[in-house]
Amino acid sequence: MEFTKSQKLAIDLRNRNILVSAAAGSGKTATLTERIIQLLTDKNSPADISRMLIVTFTRAAAGELRTRISKALSKALTCDPSNRHIAKQLTALGGAKICTIDSYYLDLVKTS
């Protein structure tokens, strides 16, 4: 996929949290997926999916993100089968915090 200048900026920003807000069908899910995959597969300082909070507005978007991340990690692992970090991220994906805003806050209330 060809990313726009704004999408590329969202993908490439590091060492900060970001908020991606755009109209339906504008490529938010693809942009977020690419950002997450680049963070998880970074050769110098790979991120850990269990330390990420990925929040969307809808359950469908959260499910789509989880599916796309799974496919991308599986593909990365196929290209580099000995990469233990990627294998660990794929295993940890099931418990990753990829949720809707309301479910995130509900969990906060329940644990407080």
Side-chain angles (χ1 to χ4, degrees):
M1 174 177 174
E2 283 289 322
F3 293 102
T4 66
K5 186 177 179 180
S6 296
Q7 289 170 325
K8 193 74 174 127
L9 180 62
I11 292 166
D12 294 336
L13 279 173
R14 295 293 182 262
N15 301 318
R16 66 187 75 193
N17 298 319
I18 66 166
L19 170 67
V20 175
S21 177
S26 61
K28 291 182 299 294
T29 303
T31 301
L32 286 172
T33 301
E34 184 64 24
R35 176 179 171 79
I36 293 161
I37 292 304
Q38 283 189 17
L39 288 167
L40 295 175
T41 60
D42 184 276
K43 297 281 187 211
N44 299 318
S45 182
D48 187 335
I49 192 79
S50 67
R51 299 194 37 85
M52 292 182 178
L53 171 61
I54 304 161
V55 181
T56 68
F57 284 103
T58 68
R59 287 187 190 114
E64 181 67 22
L65 268 169
R66 191 177 298 275
T67 298
R68 289 185 187 197
I69 293 167
S70 176
K71 286 180 183 178
L73 285 173
S74 294
K75 182 178 178 182
L77 192 57
T78 299
C79 294
D80 187 3
S82 63
N83 190 315
R84 295 173 115 177
H85 177 74
I86 294 173
K88 180 181 174 187
Q89 299 313 298
L90 193 54
T91 301
L93 184 59
K97 262 300 195 202
I98 303 172
C99 57
T100 61
I101 293 170
D102 58 323
S103 67
Y104 173 69
Y105 283 113
L106 182 60
D107 283 348
L108 281 179
V109 170
K110 285 181 178 178
T111 59
S112 294

